[in-house]
Amino acid sequence: MPIRRRDLVALAALAAPAWALAAPSKGKKLRLLILGGTGFIGPHQVRYALARGHQVTLFNRGRQKETWPGPVEELIGDRNTGDLKALAGRAWDVVIDNPTSLPFWVRDAGTALRGKVGQYIFISTISVYASDATPGAGETAPLAQYRGKDPLAVTPEMFRADVGGLYGPLKAASEAEARRQFGEAVTIIRPGLIVGPGDETDRFTYWPVRLARTSEVVVSGNGGPARPAYGREVLAPGDGTDPVQFIDARDLAEWTIRAAEARHLGVYNATGPARPLSMRGMLTGIATAVHASPKYTWVPASFLDAEKVSAWSDMPVWVPASGDSAGFHRRSIRRALAAGLTYRPLASTAADTLAWFRAQPAERQAKLRAGLTPERETEVLAKWKASPGATSH
């Protein structure tokens, strides 16, 4: 199935489990500045850092309020407008930059913080790579290039108008700017698909919800009999052998704090799991975690492509392991593993994600933001079963 790189970026169990490492740090208590801190991974970083005894300061626009389990200093500013006055005259051991996609944000942070921080950790993305065709590629693979005149001149409005085309190249340009501003004291973390409780994109959430709904019923609004929310039969993409990679936001957040404690510098691909996982293995693991017994119907990539069922968005997590995307879910993570990256079991991620989703308001649960609707899934399954290809499988 042909899949464009810009489409991928547009939608954008090893050792001890991570939560076993939440004991207070035995080393230096760090003064941490987290740029952002109230998005997807930031709150996990804050709570983990507090649990390990560190001093935490947040810098953001103050629009999202959180309740923290300990003292957290919150500074208000706006990187879009260059308002970083709240950082003036301050110093921190480590800065963690979570939300940046625009190089001028890094430049401005460097102007405000240069000489005042010991380590700058930039949360980037595996979408910085120029190609996804090579399985096993590591951190030294060529990066995407921004083709405009000046990446520092890209505004939030320009970025929003072309996220798919600019996301990877601008993240790569932001990495380069981080090195210009902070020199050798830079850690660049390139996560893959970030999943888990709190993910508002549903790019993994679809599967725990979909599989759990094989055993749920919805009562007809006109007083008629109950009907299945989804069928027990689940449309599954490919033949089950395509690899998948992703990382629980909590594992990423907690390892980021430990990387600060250990002062790991350089570049790290941060995705998972530790050992290869196939699409079939992922779905089987999720189904077990959510107590579901689905019947899978595996539909070839070529048929899904003909039916305009898109990898990644209509079939979340999945990308065909061939052609230009052969290496997308096969990035080398050896450096991160050696630096202490650990993973929760898939079952924990799946069950916790489902519990989080079920706690959302009814209107949020009514429509998943990724994946097929029940009607579209039923339609594609029927077409597949009526096709010549189905009888030959």
Side-chain angles (χ1 to χ4, degrees):
M1 175 188 291
I3 181 167
R4 297 178 303 169
R5 178 179 176 79
R6 64 178 291 157
D7 292 334
L8 291 171
V9 301
L11 293 173
L14 177 81
W19 60 85
L21 302 173
S25 171
K26 295 180 181 179
K28 175 183 177 182
K29 304 307 178 185
L30 299 174
R31 296 168 299 161
L32 298 174
L33 171 63
I34 301 179
L35 304 179
T38 55
F40 186 15
I41 63 174
H44 299 305
Q45 292 169 341
V46 173
R47 294 186 177 96
Y48 190 72
L50 291 174
R52 290 171 73 82
H54 301 304
Q55 178 181 320
V56 179
T57 300
L58 303 185
F59 175 84
N60 52 50
R61 290 180 290 179
R63 295 183 177 180
Q64 293 174 264
K65 298 298 182 183
E66 292 274 353
T67 300
W68 306 116
V72 174
E73 179 185 25
E74 301 198 46
L75 304 178
I76 305 301
D78 190 341
R79 298 173 79 181
N80 282 330
T81 63
D83 178 11
L84 282 75
K85 294 187 297 292
L87 303 181
R90 300 288 302 274
W92 289 271
D93 297 308
V94 181
V95 174
I96 301 174
D97 194 343
N98 284 321
T100 292
S101 295
L102 300 174
F104 85 85
W105 283 16
V106 181
R107 178 202 62 199
D108 291 353
T111 300
L113 296 169
R114 195 181 306 113
K116 301 175 184 177
V117 298
Q119 180 183 8
Y120 175 84
I121 300 179
F122 181 72
I123 306 300
S124 187
T125 169
I126 60 167
S127 295
V128 297
Y129 292 110
S131 171
D132 295 317
T134 305
E139 289 85 354
T140 60
L143 303 185
Q145 299 296 311
Y146 175 68
R147 302 301 181 185
K149 292 182 180 180
D150 181 5
L152 291 169
V154 177
T155 65
E157 293 74 21
M158 294 165 62
F159 179 67
R160 284 193 294 268
D162 186 18
V163 174
L166 293 178
Y167 180 64
L170 287 180
K171 275 287 195 179
S174 295
E175 290 184 5
E177 187 63 24
R179 293 189 182 94
R180 279 191 289 270
Q181 297 295 332
F182 297 97
E184 296 299 316
V186 170
T187 304
I188 293 171
I189 297 175
R190 295 171 178 162
L193 178 64
I194 305 173
V195 306
D199 176 22
E200 294 291 350
T201 72
D202 295 343
R203 290 179 299 178
F204 171 89
T205 307
Y206 171 79
W207 291 113
V209 173
R210 169 67 187 95
L211 296 179
R213 285 181 177 176
T214 59
S215 58
E216 293 177 353
V217 295
V218 174
V219 178
S220 172
N222 60 11
R227 59 174 177 80
Y230 278 87
R232 179 170 173 263
E233 183 179 17
V234 175
L235 191 160
D239 62 4
T241 64
D242 292 308
V244 293
Q245 287 185 312
F246 50 86
I247 186 166
D248 190 302
R250 296 166 294 184
D251 295 332
L252 173 62
E254 293 164 6
W255 180 64
T256 301
I257 300 302
R258 298 199 301 275
E261 293 170 353
R263 205 168 189 270
H264 288 310
L265 303 177
V267 184
Y268 300 86
N269 290 333
T271 189
R275 298 179 180 88
L277 179 68
S278 68
M279 190 68 188
R280 184 185 300 274
M282 185 191 81
L283 293 185
T284 300
I286 293 173
T288 300
V290 302
H291 309 292
S293 300
K295 176 183 180 295
Y296 300 111
T297 295
W298 295 92
V299 180
S302 57
F303 185 86
L304 295 176
D305 188 39
E307 288 297 316
K308 295 182 170 51
V309 176
S310 300
W312 194 255
S313 55
D314 292 330
M315 290 281 97
V317 183
W318 175 72
V319 174
S322 60
D324 291 344
S325 58
F328 182 78
H329 278 311
R330 289 172 171 160
R331 287 283 166 192
S332 172
I333 55 173
R334 285 179 293 183
R335 290 202 78 231
L337 291 175
L341 177 58
T342 56
Y343 305 92
R344 283 167 171 75
L346 172 60
S348 295
T349 297
D352 293 349
T353 300
L354 180 62
W356 167 80
F357 187 81
R358 285 174 167 171
Q360 302 308 298
E363 57 271 21
R364 171 68 175 90
Q365 296 188 53
K367 185 176 181 180
L368 285 157
R369 294 169 180 171
L372 297 175
T373 65
E375 297 78 12
R376 179 61 173 148
E377 183 185 40
T378 299
E379 177 188 20
V380 176
L381 283 170
K383 288 184 177 181
W384 166 243
K385 291 177 181 179
S387 72
T391 59
S392 64
H393 274 66

